Each structure stands twice: as structure tokens, then as C-alpha cells.
Amino acid sequence: MKRTILHFDLDTFFVSCERLLDSRLNNKPVIVGGAGDRGVVSAASYETRAYGVHSGMPAKMARQLCPHAIFIKGNAGTYTKYSKMVTEILQGEVPVLEKASVDEFYADLSGMDRFFGCYKYATELRQKIIRETGLPISFGLSENKTVSKVATNEAKPNNQLKIEFGAEKQFLAPLSIKKIPMVGEKTFRAFCNMGIKTVETVQQMPVEMMTSVFGKNGRVIWQRSNGIDHTPIIEYHERKSISSERTYGRDTTDISKIKTTLSAMAEDLAFQLRRGGKLASVVTVKIRYSDFQTYSKQTKIAYTSADHHLIPLVLELFDKLYDRRVLIRLVGVRYSGITSGTYQINLFDDEKRTVNLYSAMDKIRLRYGSRSVIRASAMGEGARTVGNFTNPFNGEPPIVLAHRTQ
């Protein structure tokens, strides 16, 4: 049986959400993110894209390109709510659904042609999403994930496109190689240096040549350029690590402020572990200096999700890592080596009341928010924006606000 893969993508999702909340933003140049001097554009409306603005761009550059744009800080809670609305509609209508990101979905409609007609069904589903949420959305329909995703991008804004079986190579051939998923800026530059700019050129190349230049990724790019992709729909995303990063508004050497930020992130991530019934065995601390030099240090530990074990480890790693005495731009904490399990009492270090204390604090956090109960060491200026809006172990990919993670 031939596969039929549907790809949905919410158009300029963050901007569209803001326009639902404030109709005065309609048809105006809007940029979400980049609130401060260090900001990065999370989403840009089509009105700003005409000036060359795009997501991931530094806010300073975006302001120069489009000085009359309206900048909005963005609210992850709002975007999560609208994303959940779309997810629930799709879950009730398609047999197999993969939520690839906060605004991107894949659905396997294989075999449904004999009952509905997949293209007609996808069209009606798109109209239902627009009607019930008010959000513009585009889709691509083909026999695999790669071609469907490229088709969606070609259909935008707020439109749809079907690629007939057997027409995948013909559809991809005239497009820029940059439009193939996996081809980022660095890979695209490598292609340009080789004199390759279109997918058609890659289609005509021997796969061995692609492999010799790009390694195993070269084979994947060659296959995708030829419309070949057997990647399955993944219904559940298993998180292998959780992390938190913060960029300071102004580079700092205030050790007290930095350690407050690290403590707050370590504490919040430990709560996320316990909430998801997980334990971590690797702790990593990251530093980015004002000259953009980035360093990290990690250590392996016994499986745990306890604040009073993790916070001292994070601070100890920072002390070992910070040896240049240069202004710091960004700090981050990551827990990895994650497995399922609950916090166990250490017979030598802990008492039962410690476990009961965590249980009581976590109940308050679940009801009133992850920052409703915090340690004194995690209070202060550097910790104001630390906190998570959703359970990172709910099987969905994380929401990304670019301007908060650069």
C-alpha cells in the first residue's frame, strides 16, 4: 500500500496568535521576540519578510531592516494554548499523528483514499482548524514526509498543495537545494562552492559523490532530493535531555547573580524531572563569554532528581569552568542520561522528611506554577525569567522561543 503523508504548518504561528489577541496588528509588520538589545527574532510576519527579516535574526538587524515594525516580546503560555487546540482537533480526526514542533504536524492518511479521498479530507480538516481556532494554516500532501514538508512551504501562506504519486522528483527538481530539510546554511554554502544550487543537479549526481563530500548525511540529502524518504510517523517524542539557558541583557562578571541564575535553573529542571517521573545521571553547565567563546563541562552522577544533590553539582561545575574572568553573556544547565524512576532516599545523606518536603513543594508547584516555591539561593534578579510552562516529558517537542535561548 502506498503511503499518504499529510504535513500541516501553522503560518507565522506566534504572530498569528498575537493577531488573534489584538486585531489592530492585522496587516501590519509584526515581529515576535527581540524585546531587548540582545534579542533574536522568534517569528516575523510576511509584511516584515519583504524587508529581509526572518526568524533567528538578531533584533538589532531586524530593526535596521524594518524600523517601523511592531515588536512583541511573546508569551509561551499563549502559544502553548493555541497549539494544544490544533493538536486536539487533529488527534480527533486522523488515525496517526506526529507533533513535530509547536506549530508543525504530520499525519499518516494511508489507506483512507478508499473511504474519503485524502486530499478532500485534508482540505476539510484544514478548514475546520481555521474555523475553530482562527489561525491560518497550510498543508502539503504526498507519499512521504520530506516532499509533504517542502510542498507545504511552497503552498504558503495559508494555502495547500498535493503532489501526485510519481511526480515527486519533477516537483523538487527546479527548487533551491536549500529547501530540502537537513540542508542548513553551512551545507548550502558547501553546495554553492561546488556550483550546485538546484535540487535537479543533486538528482543527477552519483550518490557516491554525495557520500564522499558530506558523509552519511550526503546519502540522506541525495535520497530526499530524489523524493525518497521512508521516515515513519513518530507519535511520541522521548526526551533524552532537558536544559535551560539564559542570556543576560548586559554581559556580567557578577558571580552572585550568575550563581543565582544557575541555582534557579538547576532547581526548576530538577522539579521537571520529578514531575515527569524521571532521574538524570549527567549534569552539564555551559558558559558563553562576551567574545562568543562557548565552553561546557559535564559530570556523571548517580541517578537523582533531588535539588540538594543537583544544585551543588551545578555550582561546582561552574567554579571549575569559569577560569577566564571575562564578562559572561550566557549560562546554561542541562540534565541528560535520563531514565524513568522516582527519587530514592540515600540512607547516608537523606531523611524521610526530605522526601516529604519535596513532595509537598511539588504539589504546590503543580497547582500554582514552577516558581511558586523556590529556594532562597534561587531568588534574585538573575532568576526572574526561569521557569517552565509545560511538562517536558508529555511526549511533545519543546516550544522554542528563539529570543530566550540565544
Side-chain angles (χ1 to χ4, degrees):
M1 182 175 66
K2 289 183 178 178
R3 292 205 306 166
T4 305
I5 304 299
L6 172 65
H7 176 260
F8 272 119
D9 197 342
L10 290 155
D11 298 338
T12 58
F13 177 51
F14 295 170
V15 172
S16 298
C17 290
E18 296 295 342
R19 284 174 169 171
L20 283 179
L21 298 176
D22 186 355
S23 60
R24 293 174 298 178
L25 298 174
N26 291 341
N27 302 315
K28 292 184 179 179
V30 178
I31 293 174
V32 175
D37 292 337
R38 298 290 179 82
V40 175
V41 175
S42 290
S45 68
Y46 286 102
E47 291 82 2
T48 63
R49 293 183 188 187
Y51 293 85
V53 178
H54 58 80
S55 59
M57 174 182 284
K60 269 187 178 179
M61 186 181 296
R63 284 190 176 90
Q64 290 172 355
L65 292 172
C66 189
H68 58 288
I70 301 168
F71 280 78
I72 299 172
K73 185 177 181 182
N75 187 307
T78 299
Y79 310 142
T80 301
K81 183 186 80 171
Y82 281 108
S83 177
K84 189 176 180 182
M85 288 169 62
V86 177
T87 305
E88 288 173 352
I89 292 171
L90 290 172
Q91 284 174 335
E93 300 289 345
V94 300
V96 183
L97 178 70
E98 174 184 342
K99 187 171 184 178
S101 70
V102 71
D103 60 352
E104 190 178 4
F105 308 84
Y106 290 97
D108 193 339
L109 305 184
S110 303
M112 291 180 66
D113 251 332
R114 70 183 72 175
F115 303 109
F116 304 105
C118 291
Y119 185 69
K120 182 181 177 184
Y121 186 75
T123 301
E124 293 173 355
L125 185 51
R126 174 174 167 259
Q127 293 302 325
K128 181 177 181 178
I129 293 169
I130 294 171
R131 186 171 61 251
E132 295 188 11
T133 67
L135 294 167
I137 189 168
S138 301
F139 80 72
L141 188 70
S142 77
E143 69 168 348
N144 63 57
K145 292 171 81 172
T146 294
V147 178
S148 293
K149 182 179 174 68
V150 175
T152 303
N153 291 331
E154 290 302 295
K156 287 182 176 184
N158 203 23
N159 212 330
Q160 57 196 54
L161 180 61
K162 178 184 179 182
I163 307 303
E164 299 290 346
F165 291 113
E168 293 82 13
K169 281 186 68 173
Q170 183 182 348
F171 162 67
L172 294 171
L175 302 178
S176 166
I177 188 61
K178 195 175 184 180
K179 294 193 175 183
I180 298 296
M182 268 187 76
V183 178
E185 285 294 334
K186 190 175 179 180
T187 307
F188 180 62
R189 284 199 298 270
F191 273 117
C192 290
N193 291 336
M194 296 167 64
I196 299 170
K197 293 188 177 179
T198 65
V199 176
E200 185 176 16
T201 309
V202 177
Q203 291 175 349
Q204 296 169 352
M205 291 172 63
V207 65
E208 293 79 13
M209 183 181 293
M210 289 289 292
T211 307
S212 66
V213 177
F214 298 103
K216 60 181 180 180
N217 286 340
R219 177 176 292 273
V220 178
I221 295 171
W222 182 87
Q223 288 176 334
R224 292 185 176 184
S225 297
N226 281 276
I228 303 168
D229 181 11
H230 304 296
T231 309
I233 298 293
I234 303 169
E235 295 185 76
Y236 186 89
H237 290 260
E238 186 70 44
R239 292 288 292 273
K240 296 179 181 178
S241 67
I242 56 173
S243 61
S244 184
E245 294 181 355
R246 289 298 176 271
T247 301
Y248 293 110
R250 180 173 296 177
D251 296 342
T252 182
T253 53
D254 186 338
I255 298 300
S256 175
K257 180 180 179 179
I258 294 167
K259 288 191 173 182
T260 297
T261 307
L262 290 169
S263 296
M265 291 192 288
E267 181 184 34
D268 183 69
L269 291 174
F271 164 63
Q272 305 304 335
L273 287 174
R274 295 194 297 273
R275 178 164 71 168
K278 304 289 183 180
L279 301 169
S281 62
V282 180
V283 178
T284 307
V285 172
K286 173 181 174 181
I287 291 176
R288 179 170 296 151
Y289 292 104
S290 56
D291 58 3
F292 284 88
Q293 292 292 316
T294 305
Y295 301 90
S296 63
K297 187 175 282 289
Q298 70 177 38
T299 185
K300 191 106 170 61
I301 59 171
Y303 283 105
T304 186
S305 60
D307 302 355
H308 67 285
H309 292 319
L310 291 165
I311 293 175
L313 273 170
V314 167
L315 298 178
E316 182 183 335
L317 285 172
F318 170 75
D319 288 334
K320 291 179 180 178
L321 190 60
Y322 183 51
D323 57 3
R324 293 180 62 196
R325 296 299 180 264
V326 177
L327 290 167
I328 288 179
R329 177 187 177 89
L330 171 150
V331 290
V333 177
R334 184 175 79 245
Y335 297 156
S336 54
I338 291 175
T339 187
S340 296
T342 53
Y343 175 60
Q344 301 292 316
I345 298 176
N346 185 313
L347 295 175
F348 299 100
D349 299 332
D350 303 340
E351 299 179 7
K352 188 176 179 180
R353 64 179 184 180
T354 305
V355 179
N356 291 337
L357 175 62
Y358 281 129
S359 178
M361 289 193 302
D362 290 348
K363 284 179 182 177
I364 296 171
R365 287 168 173 153
L366 287 170
R367 185 168 182 179
Y368 298 106
S370 61
R371 296 289 290 164
S372 55
V373 178
I374 55 176
R375 293 172 178 265
S377 61
M379 296 176 66
E381 183 187 351
R384 285 176 185 168
T385 59
V386 174
N388 206 316
F389 293 91
T390 58
N391 179 2
F393 301 104
N394 59 7
E396 295 187 359
I399 185 169
V400 177
L401 286 180
H403 65 285
R404 293 185 63 187
T405 58
Q406 298 302 311

